[in-house]
Amino acid sequence: MFRRWMLLLFVPFLASTGVAQAAEPVVPRLPAPTGPHAVGVTELHLVDSVRPDPGSPTRTREVMVSVFYPAGEVGGYPEAPQMTRKAAEWFATTDTVILHPELSSTKDKVGWAATRTHAHTGAPARPGRRPVVLYSPGFGDPRTLGTGVAEELASRGFVVVTMDHPGETSLVEFPGGRVRTILELNGRNPGTDPAAFRAMITTRLADTRLVLDRLEKLAEGENPDAEHRPLPKNLGRALEPHRIGMYGHSAGGTTAAEAMHEDPRIDAAVNLEGFLDYLPEQPGQAGELLPIVRAGTGRPLLLWGTDGYRTERYDRAWSAMLARSPERTCRRQLGDATHWVFTDFGAVAPQLEAAGLMTGAQRKSLIGAISPAKSVPAVRDGVVAFFTRTLRR
């Protein structure tokens, strides 16, 4: 989960790998959602006025989220970009060199800012209360790399709220163009520093509580956006705050599982290849299991990993979770795949390989050898099926 972090400390520049260069910038395309509903999207700036930001105690904690939902009329409402221009510029220069070295040869050759979603900005929501599902991304990754699954869920009748975790996410842009980046961590490594790992999870859990609190206000008819920007018509009335699920990738999967344990408002969770233990205090020791593992759970939990990223650490903690709550926990494995197949890279990496911007070895390192024709519907359908079974009652 954190192997790329070390590049922040030791690799200021990655040399060219000799991969063929595309003549024009390649614009990745996200597969369209397959559900019966058109999709709308809006963003919210949420502020926790009583919680200091862990990266800067002199300011209060603030979080950016995107809300995807089944839309009514979408004519005249443009399709949203996957990333803002500032986020795309950062992704093209910093993320591709530091966080995802498999993308090192794509620098300045991919039009990340031109990638469009299938969600219409500000479109009115379809009438009717619907289950709500939260998404937390992996360490360093922006919420926008989870767009495909979020759109699929929305097209199938869910309201999906994807969140960033400022100061840890690669780049978060706030209203007015202000940004925060992962460089604020100043060399603290959650992959090797037990205290940093615990602090990261603690912050993410508090961010989740903030989002849930504000969604309750939204469902009651209030506007939780810090700037009180106009909301899409019917958005608040589209939320069913008593049917809530959460899923996450990597550190986001850790967050989803533990958030369900700590917050009774979360009815079901999907952990997409996230750890279920803390880092050990001493090398060679086993890490302390998360509270959800030690206590067990009476609510549905899906642990979903890949054969290419499976390790003894995962097996120990995940097996303990299954042993503690065998009737409520299930485990799945996606073959010929690895860690980032659960994100939009599952669809995008093969496009970059086809354009000559990524070698086969780089693609396999990022998502595995699995074809997007298999992986994209497998991941989307698996997440949708789980929440359909657990939240629609």
Side-chain angles (χ1 to χ4, degrees):
M1 178 165 60
F2 298 105
R3 63 186 177 88
R4 288 162 175 75
W5 173 266
M6 301 309 293
L7 293 168
L8 281 170
L9 304 178
F10 301 120
V11 185
F13 176 78
L14 291 178
S16 172
T17 61
V19 179
Q21 297 182 5
E24 297 293 335
V26 173
V27 178
R29 296 184 178 183
L30 301 178
T34 64
H37 302 300
V39 178
V41 68
T42 192
E43 69 169 23
L44 299 174
H45 176 206
L46 308 180
V47 176
D48 189 340
S49 60
V50 299
R51 178 166 55 115
D53 189 276
S56 178
T58 61
R59 60 189 176 196
T60 56
R61 183 64 173 174
E62 53 186 346
V63 174
M64 291 298 298
V65 304
S66 294
V67 184
F68 296 84
Y69 52 89
E73 176 57 47
V74 297
Y77 295 92
E79 291 181 334
Q82 182 183 22
M83 303 180 188
T84 67
R85 184 160 298 279
K86 283 186 178 181
E89 290 172 353
W90 176 275
F91 193 84
T93 57
T94 305
D95 278 31
T96 58
V97 175
I98 294 176
L99 294 174
H100 294 291
E102 294 92 344
L103 303 178
S104 59
S105 296
T106 70
K107 188 173 181 289
D108 301 325
K109 302 177 182 68
V110 179
W112 298 106
T115 297
R116 313 301 293 183
T117 70
H118 302 277
H120 298 263
T121 301
R126 292 180 65 88
R129 299 281 184 179
R130 303 176 186 278
V132 179
V133 182
L134 276 60
Y135 172 72
S136 178
F139 169 73
D141 283 341
R143 69 188 192 273
T144 51
L145 284 182
T147 296
V149 174
E151 289 186 331
E152 183 67 24
L153 281 162
S155 79
R156 305 278 193 100
F158 295 85
V159 175
V160 185
V161 182
T162 65
M163 69 181 85
D164 279 330
H165 302 284
E168 171 209 319
T169 299
S170 57
L171 180 141
V172 182
E173 183 172 354
F174 296 93
R178 178 171 53 91
V179 300
R180 295 183 60 185
T181 77
I182 194 173
L183 300 181
E184 292 181 23
L185 290 178
N186 294 321
R188 294 187 67 203
N189 184 354
T192 59
D193 182 343
F197 182 87
R198 285 179 179 267
M200 176 182 68
I201 300 303
T202 298
T203 298
R204 284 168 166 259
L205 293 172
D207 289 347
T208 302
R209 288 193 296 271
L210 168 64
V211 172
L212 289 171
D213 291 345
R214 296 301 183 266
L215 290 178
E216 288 181 344
K217 297 295 184 183
L218 178 59
E220 294 169 358
E222 298 184 23
N223 184 346
D225 184 74
E227 286 73 31
H228 296 290
R229 293 171 294 179
L231 299 174
K233 183 179 179 181
N234 299 325
L235 181 61
R237 288 181 287 177
L239 279 66
E240 173 49 79
H242 303 297
R243 289 186 292 167
I244 296 178
M246 185 171 180
Y247 69 110
H249 173 244
S250 199
T254 305
T255 305
E258 187 58 25
M260 183 176 71
H261 172 71
E262 295 192 4
D263 199 314
R265 292 174 290 185
I266 300 176
D267 300 303
V270 178
N271 175 355
L272 300 172
E273 209 155 59
F275 293 128
L276 287 179
D277 60 358
Y278 295 109
L279 283 171
E281 296 298 327
Q282 298 295 330
Q285 296 179 348
E288 178 188 1
L289 297 174
L290 289 177
I292 187 173
V293 182
R294 302 197 303 270
T297 183
R299 283 167 278 175
L301 173 64
L302 170 61
L303 306 177
W304 199 355
T306 64
D307 59 346
Y309 212 71
R310 186 169 181 169
T311 66
E312 182 179 350
R313 180 180 177 187
Y314 280 108
D315 282 338
R316 170 182 169 269
W318 285 25
S319 295
M321 186 74 240
L322 285 164
R324 176 68 68 176
S325 303
E327 295 182 353
R328 306 305 287 166
T329 305
C330 59
R331 180 173 182 173
R332 296 181 61 182
Q333 181 169 287
L334 192 62
D336 293 324
T338 193
H339 200 50
W340 278 270
V341 75
F342 293 115
T343 73
D344 290 336
F345 282 132
V348 170
Q351 297 175 45
L352 301 181
E353 181 187 14
L357 297 180
M358 178 180 286
T359 65
Q362 289 171 326
R363 174 253 181 86
K364 289 181 180 179
S365 174
L366 190 65
I367 66 166
I370 190 170
S371 165
K374 181 178 180 180
S375 68
V376 170
V379 173
R380 292 183 177 190
D381 291 348
V383 174
V384 169
F386 177 82
F387 286 124
T388 298
R389 183 174 68 254
T390 57
L391 297 183
R392 284 187 170 155
R393 54 183 185 272

